[in-house]
């Protein structure tokens, strides 16, 4: 091969090398460009994933708040802050529609933090929640394209100009720095609730952004629905369904809190007790529907008369209570008298005028124990009833109340609320006597005798007084305090009232009782204590005495089979007094025993039915004291 051939061959090889290098360079450039493109795509995907992750976390956070029974206001504030903080919007707010009858308007009820508030105050010289907005209706926003779910515009200034009242419309348009806003309608229970408004730094939202905001608005609607349900449940839990007033449970919880506050701040508060007069007569004459009308009428008077800080509650039936925070007894009397007059002014269909009996008691003036205060208010209320109804009575301190007054109130409660089954004639007779007891308290014994006679025909007039006198003399032998003696006197009048609930043929049976009948008879102490007397607040501390008045010293009694000193001395006294009078009166299964024979039985049963000491003192009282006066 010649020189020229070698040279041409060498040139060809060089050309091949150059082509190879060029082609490699092109491949490297393509790889580089591909890598750069992939890096951009990865960055965008990472950004999209980051946004999606934030969106999911935000939705999860809102969902957790919704299911923690947080107040709606807290949930909505969290929503607006999430849109601003985690999702990068400039501002956001939630607007609610209102209609007060004369005017329809919107107001901001939640917004995204202090910057929104600062900007709003700088522009409009008011807080966001203080201005009534007049936003266009949903159909006006969407009239151009009714199928869209989110309304987006760059004309923020136009919206603000249209929405603001004239007195704050003079603002600097340059102060609006958002490039666009999105407005999403919100619904609750298929009606317009308001809007979610998002202020954005961008002129246009992406498709994914719009999809997320639409999903987000559904979460807000769900939050509103759940909050409404929680509120409905809360209201049902603390309010009376008929009147809309608070119920007993809420009243008692509030009173406990108010007592703590009163003690801490050295304040007073007054409790008003209101009892609608003659509700039974209204129900019997016109029907229960009209009784309900009367109850609702009283509740309306209370709603219209109370301050925002006062608590009015329906305690049950025709009874209402009101707490007046920071009010002393003088202020309470003024309020109660106004209530009484406003109730008396009512003219109801068919019924005509209605009246109420009212009691007033003040914390720290009459008692610093809330249960005792309620009891005193109840007593004052019943005093108003005894004195003719349609009046206001101020409570007395517990030390000023006699045992006779407590007994009278108890009989009034038993008879007026029909806690025992009585025929109409007996009920009218006893009610008449009760009304007269304020003039002659000796009549309380007559009421007791008449009541006992309904289940014990052998009971004679004056026996209740003799029993109380005998029990009192015996209590003094054991040096009981005046308070305990008073409790014993009341218990002596009430201990056998459970017999009113037992069948008369069983009480008057001449043959021996079988085991089943005997077991039934033995229930009467519990019937008296738990079914008849337990709801009566003024005798709460007397009920345990009555429950145990058939317990024997050796534990063979009933219903709890306790023994010895575990039995209250008052219960032991009732048992021995009751036994003595039972022995000395006729019974269906035997004739009355003489005094001496009865005392022999009392003595023989010492150590079994009662203690030896009690038997000895009892026999001494019978032999040495005159109980016939």
């Amino acid at each position: 091969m010649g020189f020229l051939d070698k040279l041409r061959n060498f040139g060809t090889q060089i050309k091949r090398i150059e082509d190879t290098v060029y082609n490699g360079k092109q491949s490297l450039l393509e790889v580089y460009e591909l890598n750069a493109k992939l890096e951009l795509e990865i960055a965008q995907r990472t950004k999209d994933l980051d946004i999606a992750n934030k969106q999911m976390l935000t939705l999860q956070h809102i969902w957790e708040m919704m299911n923690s029974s947080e107040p709606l206001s807290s949930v909505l504030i969290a929503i607006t802050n999430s849109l601003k903080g985690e999702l990068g919007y400039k501002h956001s707010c939630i607007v609610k529609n209102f209609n007060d009858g004369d005017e329809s308007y919107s107001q901001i009820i939640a917004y995204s933090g202090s910057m929104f508030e600062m900007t709003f105050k700088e522009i409009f010289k008011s807080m966001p929640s203080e201005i009534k907005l007049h936003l266009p209706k949903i159909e006006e926003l969407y009239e151009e394209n009714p199928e869209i779910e989110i309304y987006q515009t760059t004309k923020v200034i136009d919206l603000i100009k249209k929405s603001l009242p004239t007195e704050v419309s003079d603002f600097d348009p340059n102060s609006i720095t958002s490039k666009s806003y999105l407005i999403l309608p919100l619904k609750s229970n298929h009606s317009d609730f308001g809007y979610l408004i998002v202020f954005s730094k961008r002129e246009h939202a992406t498709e994914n952004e719009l999809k997320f905001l639409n999903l987000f608005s559904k979460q807000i609607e769900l939050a509103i629905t759940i909050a409404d349900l929680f509120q409905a449940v809360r209201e049902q839990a603390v309010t009376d369904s008929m009147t809309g007033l608070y119920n007993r449970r809420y009243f008692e919880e509030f009173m406990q809190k108010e007592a703590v506050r009163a003690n801490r701040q050295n304040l007073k508060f007054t409790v008003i007790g209101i009892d609608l007069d003659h509700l039974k007569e209204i129900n019997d004459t016109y029907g229960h529907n009209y009784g309900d009308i009367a109850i609702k009428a009283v509740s309306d008077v209370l709603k219209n008369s109370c301050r925002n800080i006062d608590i009015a509650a329906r305690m049950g039936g025709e009874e209402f209570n009101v707490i007046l925070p920071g009010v002393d007894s003088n202020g309470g009397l003024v309020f109660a008298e106004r209530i009484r007059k406003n109730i008396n002014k009512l003219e109801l269909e068919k019924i005509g005028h209605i009246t109420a009996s009212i009691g007033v008691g003040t914390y720290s003036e009459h008692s610093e124990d809330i249960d005792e205060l309620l009891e005193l208010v109840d007593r004052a209320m019943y005093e108003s009833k005894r004195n003719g109804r349609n009046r206001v009575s101020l409570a007395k301190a517990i030390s000023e109340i006699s045992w006779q007054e407590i007994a009278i109130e108890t009989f009034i409660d038993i008879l007026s609320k029909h806690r025992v089954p009585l025929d109409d004639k007996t009920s009218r007779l006893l009610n008449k006597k009760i009304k007269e007891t304020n003039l002659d308290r000796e009549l309380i014994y007559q009421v007791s005798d008449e009541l006992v006679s309904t289940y014990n025909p052998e009971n004679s007039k004056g026996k209740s007084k003799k029993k109380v006198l005998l029990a009192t003399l015996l209590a003094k032998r054991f040096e009981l305090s005046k308070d305990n003696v008073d409790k014993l006197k009341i218990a002596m009048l009430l201990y056998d009232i459970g017999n009113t609930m037992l069948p008369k043929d069983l009480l008057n049976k001449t043959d021996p009782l079988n085991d089943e009948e005997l077991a039934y008879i033995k229930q009467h102490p519990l019937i008296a204590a738990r079914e008849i007397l337990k709801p009566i607040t003024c005798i709460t501390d007397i009920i345990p005495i009555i429950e145990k008045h058939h317990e024997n010293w050796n534990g063979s009694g009933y219903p709890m089979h306790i023994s010895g000193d575990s039995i209250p001395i008052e219960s032991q006294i009732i048992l021995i007094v009751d036994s003595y009078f039972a022995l000395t009166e006729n019974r269906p299964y035997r004739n009355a025993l003489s005094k001496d024979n009865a005392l022999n039985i009392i003595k023989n049963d010492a150590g079994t039915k009662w203690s030896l000491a009690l038997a000895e003192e009892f026999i001494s009282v019978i032999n040495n004291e005159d109980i016939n006066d």
Side-chain angles (χ1 to χ4, degrees):
M1 179 181 293
F3 175 77
L4 291 175
D5 291 334
K6 288 181 179 180
L7 187 62
R8 280 194 296 271
N9 187 41
F10 182 70
T12 300
Q13 290 177 358
I14 291 175
K15 183 72 168 69
R16 287 175 182 169
I17 292 171
E18 286 178 347
D19 289 344
T20 301
V21 169
Y22 176 78
N23 291 334
K25 181 179 179 182
Q26 287 296 109
S27 297
L28 287 172
L29 183 61
E30 288 175 2
V31 169
Y32 175 78
E33 289 176 347
L34 181 60
N35 282 339
K37 185 177 180 182
L38 285 172
E39 285 177 1
L40 286 173
E41 188 173 341
I42 289 170
Q44 184 60 45
R45 291 291 178 87
T46 301
K47 183 179 179 181
D48 291 344
L49 285 171
D50 183 55
I51 292 172
N53 186 50
K54 286 181 178 179
Q55 291 174 345
M56 291 299 296
L57 289 173
T58 299
L59 290 173
Q60 181 181 352
H61 175 59
I62 300 306
W63 178 254
E64 288 172 353
M65 286 195 71
M66 286 160 53
N67 285 277
S68 65
S69 71
E70 287 279 343
L72 179 61
S73 58
S74 300
V75 178
L76 297 184
I77 289 170
I79 287 170
T80 54
N81 281 323
S82 296
L83 285 170
K84 177 180 181 296
E86 298 171 16
L87 303 177
Y89 292 105
K90 190 173 181 64
H91 300 297
S92 68
C93 64
I94 293 175
V95 178
K96 183 178 180 181
N97 297 331
F98 293 91
N99 190 331
D100 61 9
D102 299 326
E103 180 185 16
S104 296
Y105 59 91
S106 303
Q107 279 188 302
I108 296 171
I109 59 171
Y111 50 85
S112 53
S114 58
M115 286 303 297
F116 181 91
E117 181 179 297
M118 188 184 305
T119 303
F120 198 96
K121 286 177 68 176
E122 182 180 342
I123 296 172
F124 307 122
K125 314 303 185 225
S126 296
M127 291 287 287
S129 59
E130 294 174 348
I131 292 182
K132 293 181 179 180
L133 303 172
H134 298 278
L135 292 171
K137 295 180 181 179
I138 291 175
E139 56 267 23
E140 294 175 8
L141 286 173
Y142 298 149
E143 59 186 3
E144 295 179 3
N145 188 354
E147 296 181 359
I148 64 173
E149 295 180 319
I150 300 177
Y151 181 80
Q152 182 179 11
T153 181
T154 57
K155 299 177 181 179
V156 182
I157 295 176
D158 288 347
L159 174 82
I160 295 175
K161 282 182 177 179
K162 292 177 182 177
S163 303
L164 291 171
T166 55
E167 62 267 19
V168 291
S169 59
D170 53 338
F171 64 92
D172 180 10
N174 295 322
S175 59
I176 305 298
T177 57
S178 298
K179 292 185 178 180
S180 68
Y181 76 90
L182 299 96
I183 181 165
L184 295 85
L186 302 174
K187 291 185 176 293
S188 174
N189 295 323
H190 307 293
S191 61
D192 295 338
F193 176 85
Y195 304 92
L196 167 66
I197 302 178
V198 179
F199 296 82
S200 178
K201 303 172 186 176
R202 303 176 294 277
E203 288 189 2
H204 300 287
T206 65
E207 183 179 350
N208 285 337
E209 183 180 353
L210 294 175
K211 287 181 179 178
F212 169 74
L213 285 174
N214 184 57
L215 177 61
F216 202 75
S217 70
K218 302 304 180 189
Q219 287 289 92
I220 298 174
E221 292 178 346
L222 186 57
I224 294 167
T225 300
I226 290 175
D228 287 343
L229 289 172
F230 273 125
Q231 181 63 25
V233 170
R234 278 194 294 268
E235 288 178 356
Q236 289 172 5
V238 301
T239 57
D240 172 63
S241 59
M242 180 191 293
T243 63
L245 298 177
Y246 289 109
N247 59 20
R248 177 186 288 273
R249 188 180 79 176
Y250 182 85
F251 178 89
E252 291 173 348
E253 290 174 354
F254 183 88
M255 190 171 177
Q256 289 178 342
K257 294 175 184 176
E258 190 61 23
V260 171
R261 191 176 78 92
N263 290 334
R264 186 174 62 247
Q265 300 180 14
N266 195 28
L267 298 173
K268 296 179 179 180
F269 66 88
T270 291
V271 177
I272 311 291
I274 302 125
D275 192 280
L276 173 61
D277 295 328
H278 304 299
L279 178 64
K280 184 177 185 301
E281 293 179 20
I282 293 172
N283 287 333
D284 291 345
T285 305
Y286 305 105
H288 286 272
N289 287 341
Y290 284 92
D292 292 347
I293 289 171
I295 289 171
K296 290 175 184 177
V298 174
S299 71
D300 290 340
V301 169
L302 296 181
K303 290 174 187 175
N304 294 330
S305 302
C306 289
R307 303 168 299 173
N308 290 336
I309 62 172
D310 299 334
I311 296 296
R314 184 184 179 206
M315 305 301 283
E318 66 271 39
E319 293 185 17
F320 304 83
N321 278 0
V322 179
I323 293 178
L324 306 175
V327 176
D328 62 13
S329 58
N330 290 329
L333 286 171
V334 172
F335 177 89
E337 183 60 23
R338 184 166 68 248
I339 290 290
R340 185 196 66 78
K341 288 180 178 177
N342 288 340
I343 292 173
N344 196 33
K345 285 179 185 176
L346 295 173
E347 183 73 30
L348 304 182
E349 181 186 356
K350 286 191 178 181
I351 302 171
H353 290 286
I354 59 175
T355 63
S357 299
I358 302 178
V360 178
T362 300
Y363 188 80
S364 79
E365 287 186 33
H366 296 106
S367 177
E368 292 187 354
D369 180 279
I370 57 176
D371 291 330
E372 188 173 83
L373 180 61
L374 287 173
E375 179 183 323
L376 296 176
V377 170
D378 278 347
R379 290 177 181 175
M381 185 170 65
Y382 282 122
E383 184 178 341
S384 293
K385 282 197 177 296
R386 288 198 305 274
N387 291 334
R389 295 183 170 85
N390 190 24
R391 63 190 63 225
V392 175
S393 298
L394 183 64
K396 298 177 183 177
I398 195 72
S399 58
E400 301 174 18
I401 299 173
S402 69
W403 70 270
Q404 292 100 328
E405 288 178 293
I406 298 174
I408 290 168
E409 289 163 15
T410 303
F411 279 120
I412 288 174
D413 189 292
I414 291 170
L415 296 170
S416 63
K417 297 183 179 176
H418 310 284
R419 300 195 187 278
V420 295
L422 297 176
D423 60 82
D424 289 341
K425 181 180 178 181
T426 304
S427 182
R428 284 195 299 272
L429 174 64
L430 293 179
N431 272 298
K432 181 176 182 298
K433 287 188 181 295
I434 278 291
K435 291 175 184 177
E436 296 170 352
T437 53
N438 213 38
L439 301 174
D440 181 2
R441 294 196 174 172
E442 288 290 307
L443 289 173
I444 189 68
Y445 299 115
Q446 294 182 27
V447 174
S448 178
D449 286 334
E450 294 285 351
L451 197 55
V452 172
S453 296
T454 62
Y455 57 83
N456 179 11
E458 298 297 329
N459 188 68
S460 58
K461 289 183 179 180
K463 189 162 288 186
S464 293
K465 184 176 180 179
K466 290 178 182 178
K467 286 183 178 180
V468 170
L469 178 56
L470 178 55
T472 304
L473 292 171
L474 194 55
K476 290 178 180 178
R477 296 287 183 103
F478 287 88
E479 298 182 349
L480 269 65
S481 67
K482 179 183 182 303
D483 184 48
N484 285 341
V485 172
D486 286 346
K487 291 177 185 176
L488 175 59
K489 291 175 180 177
I490 299 167
M492 203 76 237
L493 295 174
L494 298 169
Y495 72 94
D496 245 4
I497 198 170
N499 282 330
T500 58
M501 309 292 280
L502 299 178
K504 286 186 172 54
D505 57 347
L506 188 60
L507 291 170
N508 298 323
K509 188 175 180 181
T510 56
D511 298 328
L513 299 177
N514 60 39
D515 291 343
E516 184 179 351
E517 292 169 334
L518 188 60
Y520 194 52
I521 286 284
K522 288 181 177 181
Q523 291 300 306
H524 83 271
L526 294 180
I527 293 173
R530 299 176 184 177
E531 295 185 23
I532 301 174
L533 303 177
K534 186 177 180 179
I536 306 173
T537 57
C538 64
I539 56 168
T540 301
D541 52 357
I542 294 166
I543 289 174
I545 300 173
I546 295 173
E547 278 184 323
K548 301 176 179 69
H549 82 271
H550 268 294
E551 299 292 348
N552 291 337
W553 187 254
N554 66 355
S556 62
Y558 58 88
M560 301 174 188
H561 306 292
I562 57 177
S563 62
D565 291 329
S566 299
I567 310 169
I569 183 61
E570 297 88 350
S571 301
Q572 297 176 47
I573 290 173
I574 290 176
L575 176 61
I576 201 167
V577 170
D578 176 60
S579 297
Y580 176 76
F581 279 94
L583 291 168
T584 55
E585 68 183 16
N586 291 321
R587 287 299 167 98
Y589 49 86
R590 62 155 173 80
N591 294 324
L593 301 181
S594 66
K595 170 184 164 182
D596 291 338
N597 287 338
L599 291 179
N600 283 333
I601 292 175
I602 296 291
K603 184 176 179 179
N604 291 335
D605 284 337
T608 54
K609 295 192 72 171
W610 31 73
S611 68
L612 179 61
L614 181 60
E616 289 176 348
E617 292 296 344
F618 182 83
I619 293 169
S620 174
V621 167
I622 291 293
N623 288 329
N624 295 295
E625 301 283 355
D626 186 359
I627 62 169
N628 295 310
D629 293 339

